[in-house]
Amino acid sequence: MSASVFPAVVVLVSALLVQSALTVVGVTGGDGDYFPAALSLERGIPQPSRRVGLGQLSARDSVRHRRMLQSTSGGVVDFPVQGTFDPFLVGLYYTRLQLGSPPKDFYVQIDTGSDVLWVSCNNCDGCPVSSGLQIPMNFYDSGSSSTASLISCSDQRCVVGLEAADSGCLQNKNQCGYTFQYGDGSGTSGYYVADMLHLDTIVGGSVTTNSTVPIVFGCSTLQTGDLKKPDRAVDGIFGFGQQGMSVISQLASQGVAPRVFSHCLKGDDAGGGILVLGEIVEPNIVYTPLVASQPHYNVNLQSISVGGQTLSIDPSVFGTSDNKGTIVDSGTTLAYLADAAYDPFISAVGSQNRYFISDIGKNNYSSIGNSLCRTLLMQINSDVSQTVRPVVSKGQQCYLITTSVNDLFPQVSLHFSGGASMLLNPQDYLVQQNSVNGASVWCIGFQKMQGQSITILGDLILKDKIFVYDLANQRIGWANYDCSTSVNVSTTENTGRTEFVDPGQLGNSGSQQNARLDRLILPTVMIGLLHLLLLGSCLFL
């Protein structure tokens, strides 16, 4: 056998063995009219076939409570999590609170982008009376609670709100009022009340519900914009910000909970997750400092790399100042990139999900003299067309895909101050929209902040990760994690994390995650080497 024939034979056998796994791409799509709709930023009504009943959610929460939390002191305050990031199912995460005496249930969105807890009140104008999320809608009535009291304009608690620009005085009633406007154009206004918040505390795997604490929260009498829509309606918004009127700050000032909270939001269709007052401890968590003197959870994003290559973006694009910077916000469904960073990101993702051999497929095959190579390249190009097709629909970059996105798209890394990086797998920046003739439509989940230098990390990025908001030490930490598994939680501030960790449990979890990563990387590397070998053989025959 001659040297010139041997490589081609090896490649032929190898290519036939892995033909079904080839991930060479590079077909240019059209205008995208052949699939129904562009990626919508609206939170849609859950599909009936994929809805999860409240009974099932409650049963799942009970199981999680029995197995998930361990604490070293005083128990862990736990909030049940429902909902999912998927904008075509729910598009938000929410929890259930109990307020008043006797206690009454309220379902509220988990929002780290705002500060105040508020719920709909009786006689509210524009408040939805039903929800597509299949949750009961309730209205708070201070007159029906034996522990409720109104907040006057002279109350020190109103003064705290005024300092944070959250409050105002309703002079005609001498009541402390508020008006909030959110980024999507919706808004609410009302007045503050003080009443009891009932807390679920987990000690030794058992749930106790006899803990109560007085808090101040908003009573909404008017809602506008998307807050009026019943398709994804909740009873209110639970602001987890760090200003004085936030529940986190109120509980910390009373010594009820530490100035740290954590969440781990599940990214699958069932959704849910973990939300606790305390620090989830896990050895892989990395931290970056919070930017000082900012109203939101601002972090210093310094650069972005795609497939290991740093994008050519001026670092000043991510600088923090008035109306600039990077914000961690669980109240945002998708993710948003500063205007100047968006196009380089989209370009890099598009170029790095194609192997360069795909360009050969566009050539005139008759120019390739060897019939074996000509046949192989024609077959590869056919496989490419069936594997992925980039399309643009109403400004959204999407792809028709017939295989796993993890086999096609590069990993993305966000690099922050303090040396902390956040690794995004393809499903952390792509959103599956629908299916067309057996092909899945995946769209880039990052949206462009037109004309603005703001980057927002919403639920698309936050899901499938532990996030720790350490307000006492002014830092945020994260780690990729399977949020359906157990976590360890510390409720003691300013202590080392390792003393609270169950090494066997976390070690096994980490090994499983690394094994999954290895399974993704190894086939891709092997396929890439086969592509190079095949191309070299054909070019030199």
Side-chain angles (χ1 to χ4, degrees):
M1 182 179 293
S2 67
S4 61
V5 176
F6 178 77
V9 174
V10 174
V11 171
L12 172 60
V13 175
S14 301
L16 291 176
L17 289 175
V18 299
Q19 180 177 355
S20 62
L22 289 176
T23 57
V24 187
V25 299
V27 180
T28 302
D31 57 8
D33 292 339
Y34 49 85
F35 63 91
L39 177 63
S40 171
L41 301 185
E42 298 295 332
R43 294 159 180 162
I45 299 176
Q47 300 175 11
S49 62
R50 302 170 77 178
R51 287 175 176 169
V52 179
L54 289 178
Q56 183 178 348
L57 289 170
S58 177
R60 186 177 65 196
D61 285 340
S62 296
V63 172
R64 179 171 67 84
H65 287 160
R66 288 194 296 269
R67 66 171 171 77
M68 65 167 267
L69 295 174
Q70 301 175 23
S71 173
T72 58
S73 61
V76 173
V77 176
D78 173 55
F79 296 97
V81 178
Q82 299 176 25
T84 173
F85 88 98
D86 192 332
F88 305 108
L89 292 178
V90 179
L92 58 86
Y93 291 92
Y94 56 98
T95 186
R96 177 184 57 82
L97 298 178
Q98 289 191 319
L99 297 169
S101 301
K104 193 172 183 180
D105 288 347
F106 295 93
Y107 292 87
V108 289
Q109 182 179 0
I110 301 166
D111 183 17
T112 61
S114 63
D115 294 299
V116 175
L117 165 66
W118 62 264
V119 295
S120 300
C121 282
N122 56 331
N123 300 321
C124 177
D125 183 8
C127 294
V129 297
S130 63
S131 174
L133 302 180
Q134 293 190 319
I135 56 177
M137 302 296 290
N138 287 321
F139 294 85
Y140 176 81
D141 182 6
S142 60
S144 299
S145 175
S146 61
T147 51
S149 61
L150 301 180
I151 305 299
S152 68
C153 295
S154 59
D155 193 301
Q156 181 60 35
R157 292 169 292 186
C158 186
V159 175
V160 171
L162 287 169
E163 292 174 350
D166 287 335
S167 306
C169 186
L170 306 176
Q171 296 289 354
N172 57 330
K173 297 181 179 180
N174 191 29
Q175 287 182 346
C176 187
Y178 67 85
T179 297
F180 303 135
Q181 292 294 324
Y182 297 97
D184 61 359
S186 60
T188 178
S189 60
Y191 56 91
Y192 285 109
V193 297
D195 209 338
M196 304 304 294
L197 169 65
H198 300 256
L199 301 176
D200 287 345
T201 304
I202 298 175
V203 181
S206 299
V207 180
T208 60
T209 58
N210 58 355
S211 176
T212 60
V213 59
I215 63 165
V216 175
F217 58 93
C219 186
S220 175
T221 57
L222 173 67
Q223 293 176 28
T224 60
D226 283 355
L227 291 175
K228 298 175 62 175
K229 297 179 179 180
D231 59 347
R232 55 196 174 99
V234 288
D235 293 319
I237 291 180
F238 193 170
F240 273 84
Q242 54 185 321
Q243 301 298 321
M245 288 294 281
S246 73
V247 172
I248 295 299
S249 295
Q250 292 187 58
L251 296 183
S253 66
Q254 298 180 56
V256 175
R259 284 183 55 79
V260 55
F261 68 95
S262 311
H263 60 65
C264 195
L265 307 175
K266 291 176 61 179
D268 58 23
D269 289 347
I274 298 167
L275 174 63
V276 292
L277 303 187
E279 177 189 5
I280 294 179
V281 288
E282 211 280 336
N284 295 322
I285 292 180
V286 296
Y287 284 88
T288 190
L290 283 168
V291 179
S293 305
Q294 294 296 316
H296 302 291
Y297 291 118
N298 282 78
V299 288
N300 184 9
L301 177 62
Q302 296 179 327
S303 64
I304 301 175
S305 60
V306 177
Q309 298 181 9
T310 302
L311 304 184
S312 297
I313 302 173
D314 188 331
S316 65
V317 170
F318 302 119
T320 300
S321 62
D322 292 339
N323 298 318
K324 293 183 63 179
T326 301
I327 299 170
V328 179
D329 179 17
S330 68
T332 295
T333 304
L334 300 174
Y336 295 80
L337 271 179
D339 191 330
Y342 183 80
D343 289 340
F345 174 77
I346 296 297
S347 177
V349 169
S351 64
Q352 292 201 33
N353 72 53
R354 304 178 180 91
Y355 290 101
F356 67 91
I357 195 172
S358 61
D359 293 333
I360 298 293
K362 300 176 185 178
N363 293 338
N364 183 354
Y365 295 118
S366 62
S367 65
I368 304 175
N370 184 280
S371 60
L372 174 61
C373 287
R374 182 165 62 249
T375 301
L376 286 173
L377 290 173
M378 291 176 65
Q379 179 62 47
I380 288 173
N381 193 55
S382 174
D383 291 341
V384 167
S385 300
Q386 296 173 15
T387 300
V388 62
R389 183 176 182 181
V391 293
V392 177
S393 176
K394 298 182 180 178
Q396 301 293 333
Q397 180 61 62
C398 302
Y399 302 88
L400 282 173
I401 299 173
T402 59
T403 187
S404 169
V405 294
N406 288 324
D407 294 335
L408 294 173
F409 289 85
Q411 290 183 325
V412 172
S413 292
L414 308 180
H415 305 288
F416 298 85
S417 62
S421 293
M422 185 183 299
L423 177 65
L424 306 181
N425 292 313
Q427 291 186 343
D428 295 327
Y429 62 84
L430 295 169
V431 177
Q432 184 175 0
Q433 179 173 330
N434 53 15
S435 297
V436 177
N437 297 326
S440 299
V441 179
W442 288 82
C443 299
I444 299 289
F446 275 96
Q447 308 296 293
K448 187 175 187 177
M449 292 295 285
Q450 195 72 42
Q452 300 183 59
S453 295
I454 300 176
T455 297
I456 302 177
L457 307 181
D459 293 335
L460 174 67
I461 306 299
L462 306 186
K463 65 179 175 59
D464 299 321
K465 297 177 183 67
I466 292 171
F467 263 82
V468 178
Y469 301 76
D470 185 355
L471 307 187
N473 296 298
Q474 285 295 288
R475 60 180 187 167
I476 286 185
W478 60 81
N480 289 347
Y481 200 76
D482 180 356
C483 296
S484 64
T485 60
S486 59
V487 296
N488 294 276
V489 181
S490 166
T491 57
T492 303
E493 295 181 1
N494 301 319
T495 58
R497 298 193 305 277
T498 54
E499 62 182 292
F500 306 113
V501 174
D502 177 354
Q505 181 183 60
L506 293 182
N508 292 336
S509 176
S511 298
Q512 293 170 358
Q513 291 172 343
N514 292 335
R516 288 195 296 269
L517 185 60
D518 292 341
R519 287 197 295 270
L520 291 176
I521 294 175
L522 185 58
T524 304
V525 172
M526 292 179 64
I527 291 168
L529 291 174
L530 285 172
H531 291 166
L532 292 174
L533 185 57
L534 171 59
L535 180 61
S537 301
C538 291
L539 291 179
F540 289 100
L541 281 177

